[in-house]
Amino acid sequence: MCVLLSALVHLGLYVPAAAQSMVSAPAEVRVNDTPNDGGASLTVIWTPSNSDGPDARYQILFGDSGVTDPALLKVIAEFPADTRFVKDVKATWWTRNAEPTWHQYAIRSGKDAELKDGTSYTVAVALRKGDDRAISQLLQAASAPNWFNWNQLNNLILALSFGGIVFYAISHAKRNEIFLRRIPGLDAVDEAIGRSTELGKPILYLTGAHDMSDPSTIAAAVILGRVAKRTAAYETELLVPHRDPITMAVCQEITKQAYLEAGKPDLFKEDSNFFITSDQFSYTAAVDGIMLRKKPAANFFMGSYFAESLLLTETGASTGAIQIAGTDSDHQLPFFVTTCDYTLIGEELYAASAYLSKEPVQIGTLRGQDIGKAVILSAIVLGTALATIGAVTGAQWPSLFLDLFKDVK
Amino acid sequence: MDATVLGAWVATGLTLFIFSFLYKDNPLFKLAEHLYVGVSVGYTIVKAYDTVIVHLIVKPIFEQGEFALLIPVAIGLLMLTRYVPKAAWLSRYAFAFIVGVGSGLAIPRTISSFILKQVEDTVRPVLSLAGGDGVTFSMNLLNPASSINVIIILIGVISVLFYFFFSIEHSGPGKIVARTGVMFLMIAFGAAFGYTVMARMSLLIGRLTDLIEFSDASYGNPTLWLAILTVGVLLVLSRRSSPGEQEK
Amino acid sequence: MIFLRRQLPLLITMVTGLLFAGQYYVPHPSSEQLLTSATKWLQIVGGFALVLGVTSLFHQHAAKIRRKEEGWGYSLVLYAGMLGTIAVGLWANGKESVEGAMTAFGWVYSYMMVPLQGTMFAILAFFIASAAYRSFRARSREAAVLLIAAVIVMMGRVPLGEYLIPLSGDVSQWILNVLNASVRRAILIGVSLGAVALSFKIIFGVERSYLGGGKE
Amino acid sequence: MTFSERMLKIDRRIIFLVIGLCTLLPLLYPVGLPIKISSEVRGVYEHIESLPERSVFFISFDFDPASKPELHPQAIALLRHAFRKNLRVVTMTLWVSGTGLADQIVTQVAKEMGKENGKDYVFLGWSPGNTAVIINLGQNLYKTFPSDYGGKPTNGLPVLDGVQSLRDVDYMVSLGAGNPGVEAWYVFGKDKYKFEMGGGCTGVMAPGLYPLLRSGQINGLIGGLRGAAEYESLIGQKGKAVAGMDAQSATHVAIIVLVMICNLFYFSMRRATGRQSQVGS
């Protein structure tokens, strides 16, 4: 293989000297360590020549350091001369260091060219058109691993600033009152409890499939506090079947507290929160049984749900109960939306819980996320406007902004 | 009896027992359901033992001498202290490690894949310079990259993002944007519902295909006999429980 | 003691969290080596986490049997299924098949686990139909929009629908590709912001419910 | 109670029966309606079609028996295509309860196509750790899976010749029924290790993956049984998915009819109650 290749190089080299004037050697060739990578790669950059075209081809020559005879270099790549431009490589304006119209080729360590970091190698570029071939000057370079990927700078800045915003918002929320809009679903909650009282039927409240480490379960527990307070005030029976023993213990505390706050501690029943089983379908079958036997007037489904959602809400709907759901499990949302009377969609669940709990960490996080969303919203609007201007006028300056939201590796 | 024939009988029986839930919750369903939990837990334990203990821990450590792997083993064992009340706090070290690494890995990757990439793709020129026609606005709805669709996607993304905005009251012009967001959400939910119908029906088709296959005489007609058995049991059970149900 | 029980775990979370978030931006081989080792460790620790999940189930049903609670016979069935599977599994060295021939473990898998799990979810087919019949009503403008989108997608996804109304295929494709994609994208961005915020809160010890392990 | 009200409160077991019959009858007496190919599925098919022989094709079967009817036919069709193109096929699963299924699928198709284990394909098995497994595969395949499913050491297998990590994979498809699935493979795999990637998923997951499809993060998507049926038609080997499509047609149309009837009764009921309240007032 090697012999064959070097034979090819020889053939290319010993073309008549007169023909060499036809094509000019690639000019301003630069060979550097490929930036922003883990090493073992060199990048070659050179200016376009006026012989560039589909019929001309560039060759990348490679060899050990100290080689001065181009004949001893190996051709490791060959491609049409109208390809491999700097602009084809995905990069941002702060990492691009050559004109977009120049040529660029990255030599990676592989079978043809084994690169060791710190060792220098000889590299040259040749332009071939028909039988003519011209070779640039021979350059020496060594590759090295890098400590930072500058292409991901925007990612890092975004991460740091968003983190900063969240913590700032949390500390701000600890000191000040922050406005949160009222979640309409909460009115529906009160209404459902009211109706249960009128009918003298119990209320069923589920906290979802996950344990207390999931934010949606925490939100469900917070909203349970609110519901329990109302049921205490109206003296309505509350049923909370659980799938996780720890969640049950926490919810028991929350319910007790709610009854205390409502001034009816004597009405609190320890067994209104009860554990069924952690298995998905046994739990579902049991809850369905409760729905059919006790016919609660209102069913609440808060927290995280999986395929069991439809089995629960469909049975609930068949008993004629008012159903209110709140979940961040987006794959189950369609079923809740169709079978329930009111659904807190996704983040509305967290917002409702933050609204009720008034806890600075929750409110602050929500506010921080809102700011994040606002930034993204404006970036999208502004970006679309700039991209359109760029596309219509062919101007380059919009990319100064657009590159900030580009994912480049 | 041949293992396949026995398998056909067992599989058919269990399938029918579970389907009996459609009539109502009954002991046959409960039996199959608990068996399901037991078998899948047993399966997981065997797989975890074989993969983790044998192939990822014992072999590399004793055959290749990778003693560094004792560290994750120690972390894993710490996790199990959760069940010893006095030493339960030790499990925190394990969770601290897992959750710490998990959160660290997630931050830049989430930003890259789900924020930057998604914003990058939403930000597209609304008008384009196509060939020699000058500035064009393409109206082709079927081409997702056409100008009209770029605008629709833009409206959808913005209005839905706005809907999940909790710092401002949804009133005035905000109300219109939020309402648009709701409409977009409903369309997406409708599409998801429609798509899911196919998913659920596929499961049913899969089970029925097996039942049809097992109704073959070469297996001894398990589907037929077991269906008769299941219905029979259900009838007996409902007879027996109907006077008792009044008490409940 | 409080340091060991409380601060040190939080410190570990913070150090590992920052380390592995930072790792992403560093292409140097030593940073890659760190990532390789850590993920290898997580793989092994993940195995133990699986055991943890299983044990709680173990406890629960053992208690049920011990106290002879209602339905303890089913718990016995569960145990029998589990122990039987473990026994055949270990006997077969944890392989469902050897050289293409099914082992006893493979038999349990193919003829018990596969039909059981498959049928559990197949039940949903019936419920989705009955939900469609009983709840899918155009009660409000939102509900009407949802309903129409669902019907179009249902039409466009099956050959008979496309045969009856040829346009439905293209329209459902457009709904999925454009309308649905835009909504999902917005949700994805929102959820991701939430996830990043949560990760930050965990790393800096603001959110610590994952530590669990009872009260302080 | 009016007729409409009574019809709306019909025992749901009657609907169960209708759906059962709509599924069963077409399965027993298939019709075979033609299936139109969507661009999402074509994306995956054409990419595999464009791969040169002996390219490395990586499939992760990220599903369990609960999604078997949808993803099993997809897996079979993809493997048949890959083997026919003489690709080197590397398979694994991230879902523990899917290990047995994945093993069956790979063994069955390989046997049918006369492929040799270790040379033309390998099944790496399952490993715990979810996303950690993906990252670790991207760093070093041999460290993640020191041995394959059968216990053979992976290092030195001819099928893995020249493959060090996910970076050396030419095309990757995750057949996902949830998490970890297609999204996880993108975020923790492709995002950094830059292999070309496609996806297959259940109907439940599919609508959520369209943003990734739009942005080119995945270059194709096989969605549910319909996607599998399209793929089966593309490779010209009809299987379980195509056979199931008639039943799908019947049940879908049945549900659409049910929805229409429901709304018909609903509106007639509303009009009736509206009239009543008018009379009352």
Side-chain angles (χ1 to χ4, degrees):
Chain A
M1 185 69 185
C2 238
V3 179
L4 223 161
L5 269 174
S6 58
L8 270 173
V9 175
H10 281 275
L11 270 179
L13 260 177
Y14 295 115
V15 287
Q20 263 186 9
S21 57
M22 295 278 288
V23 290
S24 53
E28 285 186 63
V29 179
R30 282 190 265 156
V31 184
N32 291 308
D33 164 49
T34 305
N36 310 316
D37 74 344
S41 171
L42 292 170
T43 298
V44 195
I45 295 172
W46 64 98
T47 51
S49 108
N50 34 19
S51 337
D52 278 9
D55 51 337
R57 296 177 79 79
Y58 278 115
Q59 293 177 326
I60 304 292
L61 312 180
F62 178 84
D64 288 332
S65 76
V67 177
T68 46
D69 182 4
L72 294 175
L73 295 177
K74 202 159 92 176
V75 177
I76 54 165
E78 186 175 325
F79 44 87
D82 56 348
T83 58
R84 310 252 184 193
F85 291 104
V86 172
K87 63 171 185 252
D88 302 337
V89 182
K90 231 187 143 192
T92 54
W93 51 262
W94 63 89
T95 50
R96 189 171 281 158
N97 45 17
E99 289 297 312
T101 51
W102 286 27
H103 289 284
Q104 173 170 358
Y105 182 81
I107 305 170
R108 284 181 213 292
S109 189
K111 272 184 198 148
D112 299 329
E114 252 184 65
L115 285 163
K116 269 206 197 89
D117 288 333
T119 315
S120 80
Y121 298 93
T122 308
V123 179
V125 184
L127 179 61
R128 202 170 64 107
K129 194 170 190 177
D131 288 337
D132 305 334
R133 186 168 186 257
I135 298 176
S136 73
Q137 69 179 119
L138 275 53
L139 290 154
Q140 309 274 321
S143 67
N146 307 112
W147 284 102
F148 190 76
N149 186 347
W150 290 98
N151 281 321
Q152 292 168 338
L153 184 67
N154 56 348
N155 186 317
L156 181 62
I157 292 174
L158 213 69
L160 291 179
S161 45
F162 180 62
I165 287 171
V166 170
F167 288 119
Y168 170 76
I170 290 175
S171 76
H172 185 76
K174 279 182 182 156
R175 285 177 278 109
N176 307 289
E177 188 110 332
I178 285 187
F179 170 79
L180 277 186
R181 80 174 154 85
R182 195 177 159 71
I183 313 297
L186 291 175
D187 300 328
V189 170
D190 292 346
E191 206 184 293
I193 300 173
R195 203 180 84 153
S196 300
T197 315
E198 276 168 30
L199 295 172
K201 282 181 179 173
I203 283 170
L204 187 72
Y205 191 102
L206 310 186
T207 52
H210 282 164
D211 58 11
M212 285 310 285
S213 66
D214 189 78
S216 62
T217 315
I218 299 172
V222 169
I223 299 173
L224 171 65
R226 156 81 160 218
V227 170
K229 221 178 196 169
R230 287 296 161 110
T231 56
Y234 292 143
E235 301 184 8
T236 311
E237 191 188 353
L238 178 68
L239 300 167
V240 193
H242 285 278
R243 270 175 82 169
D244 178 65
I246 297 167
T247 315
M248 180 191 75
V250 173
C251 287
Q252 234 156 19
E253 280 304 307
I254 290 174
T255 317
K256 198 172 180 178
Q257 186 63 33
Y259 274 77
L260 266 175
E261 279 171 26
K264 309 227 169 125
D266 47 316
L267 284 179
F268 170 71
K269 278 189 230 135
E270 192 84 14
D271 59 356
S272 63
N273 280 274
F274 51 100
F275 176 79
I276 295 184
T277 166
S278 59
D279 179 59
Q280 187 183 15
F281 283 96
S282 325
Y283 175 83
T284 311
V287 174
D288 278 357
I290 295 174
M291 284 179 186
L292 294 172
R293 277 198 310 276
K294 298 216 167 180
K295 298 220 175 356
N299 299 332
F300 292 91
F301 309 94
M302 301 286 168
S304 160
Y305 292 86
F306 294 91
E308 73 274 12
S309 67
L310 192 60
L311 301 184
L312 292 168
T313 55
E314 224 293 299
T315 310
S318 74
T319 64
I322 290 191
Q323 306 203 92
I324 296 174
T327 184
D328 61 347
S329 321
D330 55 348
H331 41 95
Q332 299 304 327
L333 273 169
F335 310 113
F336 283 120
V337 171
T338 39
T339 51
C340 292
D341 299 276
Y342 200 92
T343 308
L344 295 167
I345 299 165
E347 289 163 88
E348 279 187 310
L349 174 66
Y350 305 132
S353 128
Y355 184 89
L356 291 176
S357 73
K358 302 264 184 279
E359 216 200 305
V361 173
Q362 281 200 42
I363 296 183
T365 310
L366 213 59
R367 172 51 67 92
Q369 278 168 244
D370 265 8
I371 300 174
K373 273 177 224 159
V375 170
I376 289 175
L377 251 170
S378 11
I380 290 176
V381 174
L382 192 63
T384 308
L386 289 178
T388 310
I389 295 173
V392 173
T393 62
Q396 286 301 313
W397 58 266
S399 71
L400 285 179
F401 175 81
L402 295 177
D403 280 5
L404 293 178
F405 292 92
K406 228 182 206 171
D407 179 53
V408 181
K409 290 286 137 40
Chain B
M1 198 172 1
D2 186 39
T4 330
V5 175
L6 181 66
W9 279 80
V10 171
T12 310
L14 295 177
T15 305
L16 291 172
F17 287 180
I18 295 206
F19 272 141
S20 71
F21 178 75
L22 292 171
Y23 176 67
K24 67 183 199 190
D25 195 10
N26 66 77
L28 288 180
F29 168 74
K30 284 207 183 106
L31 182 89
E33 199 243 311
H34 280 78
L35 191 63
Y36 157 56
V37 178
V39 170
S40 52
V41 166
Y43 185 83
T44 310
I45 293 175
V46 171
K47 279 289 159 195
Y49 167 78
D50 179 55
T51 314
V52 182
I53 310 280
V54 177
H55 288 285
L56 289 176
I57 300 177
V58 175
K59 276 195 181 171
I61 290 179
F62 293 102
E63 288 175 15
Q64 280 112 36
E66 290 183 41
F67 290 105
L69 294 183
L70 288 172
I71 303 171
V73 173
I75 297 175
L77 290 174
L78 278 183
M79 201 185 231
L80 299 184
T81 59
R82 204 163 227 201
Y83 289 102
V84 189
K86 276 204 174 145
W89 61 275
L90 281 171
S91 70
R92 293 180 169 187
Y93 290 103
F95 289 109
F97 175 76
I98 301 175
V99 173
V101 177
S103 315
L105 290 176
I107 292 174
R109 287 171 175 82
T110 310
I111 291 181
S112 158
S113 312
F114 292 153
I115 299 180
L116 285 178
K117 259 267 168 352
Q118 297 303 326
V119 171
E120 187 187 334
D121 189 63
T122 312
V123 175
R124 281 164 183 264
V126 174
L127 300 166
S128 56
L129 274 175
D133 315 343
V135 178
T136 51
F137 183 90
S138 45
M139 291 290 287
N140 184 2
L141 280 174
L142 287 179
N143 173 14
S146 69
S147 307
I148 180 94
N149 283 335
V150 167
I151 290 180
I152 293 173
I153 289 181
L154 194 68
I155 294 172
V157 172
I158 288 174
S159 60
V160 175
L161 263 182
F162 183 81
Y163 178 78
F164 291 116
F165 214 72
F166 300 104
S167 302
I168 334 174
E169 201 73 62
H170 286 171
S171 54
K175 192 172 179 181
I176 301 168
V177 182
R179 290 280 297 175
T180 318
V182 173
M183 286 304 165
F184 266 91
L185 274 170
M186 291 302 144
I187 294 173
F189 290 154
F193 192 108
Y195 222 126
T196 308
V197 167
M198 167 153 289
R200 301 302 184 216
M201 292 305 155
S202 306
L203 304 183
L204 179 59
I205 292 169
R207 295 317 307 144
L208 289 186
T209 316
D210 277 9
L211 285 185
I212 292 171
E213 191 189 326
F214 291 148
S215 66
D216 199 73
S218 63
Y219 296 105
N221 294 318
T223 307
L224 181 69
W225 294 116
L226 288 168
I228 294 173
L229 175 81
T230 312
V231 172
V233 171
L234 285 180
L235 282 177
V236 172
L237 283 172
S238 70
R239 279 277 162 73
R240 220 196 286 163
S241 71
S242 48
E245 215 155 32
Q246 247 71 36
E247 290 164 36
K248 274 186 184 174
Chain C
M1 213 40 190
I2 287 188
F3 173 76
L4 282 182
R5 284 184 182 219
R6 201 184 165 91
Q7 268 105 332
L8 192 58
L10 289 176
L11 195 69
I12 293 177
T13 311
M14 181 147 119
V15 171
T16 50
L18 290 177
L19 192 65
F20 285 95
Q23 190 282 328
Y24 184 78
Y25 306 100
V26 181
H28 199 276
S30 54
S31 125
E32 294 294 301
Q33 189 54 45
L34 179 76
L35 183 64
T36 315
S37 309
T39 46
K40 173 90 209 180
W41 290 8
L42 279 185
Q43 223 181 325
I44 291 172
V45 177
F48 285 91
L50 222 55
V51 177
L52 199 68
V54 166
T55 357
S56 75
L57 200 80
F58 224 79
H59 274 291
Q60 236 176 66
H61 286 275
K64 225 174 178 179
I65 295 174
R66 220 176 319 116
R67 291 193 219 120
K68 297 241 159 38
E69 277 175 38
E70 195 197 328
W72 64 277
Y74 297 120
S75 299
L76 220 55
V77 171
L78 188 148
Y79 262 81
M82 179 171 68
L83 295 177
T85 313
I86 293 176
V88 293
L90 294 182
W91 186 49
N93 281 325
K95 301 281 175 275
E96 288 87 348
S97 69
V98 175
E99 308 287 324
M102 193 191 280
T103 62
F105 187 49
W107 187 90
V108 169
Y109 181 80
S110 310
Y111 293 115
M112 293 176 84
M113 200 163 138
V114 172
L116 279 169
Q117 206 183 7
T119 318
M120 274 297 177
F121 284 87
I123 291 180
L124 291 170
F126 296 99
F127 278 80
I128 207 171
S130 99
Y133 178 67
R134 301 198 306 183
S135 321
F136 235 3
R137 296 172 199 172
R139 273 180 286 225
S140 59
R141 209 177 303 158
E142 287 88 4
V145 168
L146 192 150
L147 195 148
I148 293 167
V151 168
I152 295 175
V153 171
M154 270 192 264
M155 268 296 207
R157 292 297 296 171
V158 290
L160 182 61
E162 277 183 294
Y163 177 77
L164 294 173
I165 305 173
L167 199 64
S168 65
D170 285 341
V171 177
S172 82
Q173 205 64 18
W174 178 72
I175 290 180
L176 285 167
N177 251 323
V178 178
L179 300 179
N180 164 65
S182 72
V183 173
R184 294 294 176 152
R185 176 167 286 168
I187 292 178
L188 201 57
I189 293 173
V191 168
S192 304
L193 283 175
V196 173
L198 183 65
S199 298
F200 269 116
K201 286 196 289 179
I202 287 174
I203 290 177
F204 290 102
V206 177
E207 173 67 58
R208 49 183 81 164
S209 55
Y210 64 91
L211 286 175
K215 285 175 188 161
E216 289 301 323
Chain D
M1 206 186 261
T2 63
F3 173 71
S4 302
E5 264 174 85
R6 223 173 311 143
M7 283 315 286
L8 278 174
K9 292 216 169 116
I10 196 171
D11 190 335
R12 66 179 177 201
R13 280 174 281 203
I14 296 175
I15 298 164
F16 291 173
L17 194 70
V18 171
I19 291 301
L21 288 177
C22 280
T23 321
L24 196 61
L25 292 177
L27 284 178
L28 293 173
Y29 310 103
V31 186
L33 286 163
I35 295 155
K36 225 164 93 179
I37 313 291
S38 63
S39 57
E40 296 97 300
V41 176
R42 207 177 277 281
V44 177
Y45 174 82
E46 274 171 4
H47 194 88
I48 294 182
E49 203 50 28
S50 74
L51 290 172
E53 269 191 25
R54 301 296 287 169
S55 299
V56 181
F57 177 45
F58 195 108
I59 308 186
S60 187
F61 301 108
D62 306 322
F63 59 92
D64 59 6
S67 313
K68 180 187 169 195
E70 287 181 279
L71 292 169
H72 188 271
Q74 290 187 10
I76 301 260
L78 268 173
L79 278 178
R80 279 183 178 153
H81 190 201
F83 281 139
R84 192 190 294 166
K85 291 282 300 173
N86 278 326
L87 305 180
R88 289 187 279 163
V89 180
V90 185
T91 56
M92 61 165 286
T93 174
L94 287 174
W95 287 38
V96 59
S97 43
T99 324
L101 268 181
D103 173 48
Q104 272 171 24
I105 296 167
V106 178
T107 323
Q108 178 205 325
V109 182
K111 201 168 154 196
E112 167 194 315
M113 310 282 285
K115 296 290 173 181
E116 200 182 310
N117 190 359
K119 187 171 149 271
D120 303 306
Y121 75 95
V122 61
F123 175 50
L124 298 172
W126 163 80
S127 181
N130 293 340
T131 51
V133 179
I134 304 176
I135 300 182
N136 206 6
L137 273 169
Q139 299 292 94
N140 189 329
L141 189 142
Y142 302 103
K143 279 220 157 116
T144 325
F145 287 100
S147 48
D148 73 354
Y149 174 76
K152 259 187 283 179
T154 41
N155 212 336
L157 283 180
V159 61
L160 291 172
D161 183 35
V163 180
Q164 268 305 314
S165 67
L166 287 179
R167 286 182 205 273
D168 307 306
V169 165
D170 296 296
Y171 193 47
M172 192 267 153
V173 173
S174 162
L175 299 178
N179 194 18
V182 182
E183 284 185 10
W185 275 100
Y186 180 82
V187 179
F188 296 93
K190 185 187 169 180
D191 179 63
K192 176 163 180 189
Y193 306 107
K194 293 177 219 158
F195 41 85
E196 193 50 66
M197 187 182 152
C201 64
T202 58
V204 183
M205 306 300 299
L209 289 173
Y210 273 83
L212 273 74
L213 188 69
R214 281 272 56 73
S215 55
Q217 287 164 291
I218 49 174
N219 75 348
L221 182 68
I222 312 174
L225 195 73
R226 162 73 187 253
E230 289 176 32
Y231 212 95
E232 282 178 0
S233 329
L234 275 171
I235 62 168
Q237 250 176 317
K238 298 203 171 149
K240 279 198 168 149
V242 170
M245 279 322 277
D246 281 334
Q248 288 284 11
S249 289
T251 48
H252 275 65
V253 172
I255 290 179
I256 292 169
V257 171
L258 284 176
V259 169
M260 285 174 177
I261 296 177
C262 152
N263 279 284
L264 216 68
F265 287 139
Y266 174 65
F267 281 111
S268 75
M269 187 180 84
R270 239 185 25 181
R271 199 174 307 150
T273 49
R275 214 178 292 140
Q276 266 173 8
S277 59
Q278 264 171 8
V279 171
S281 65

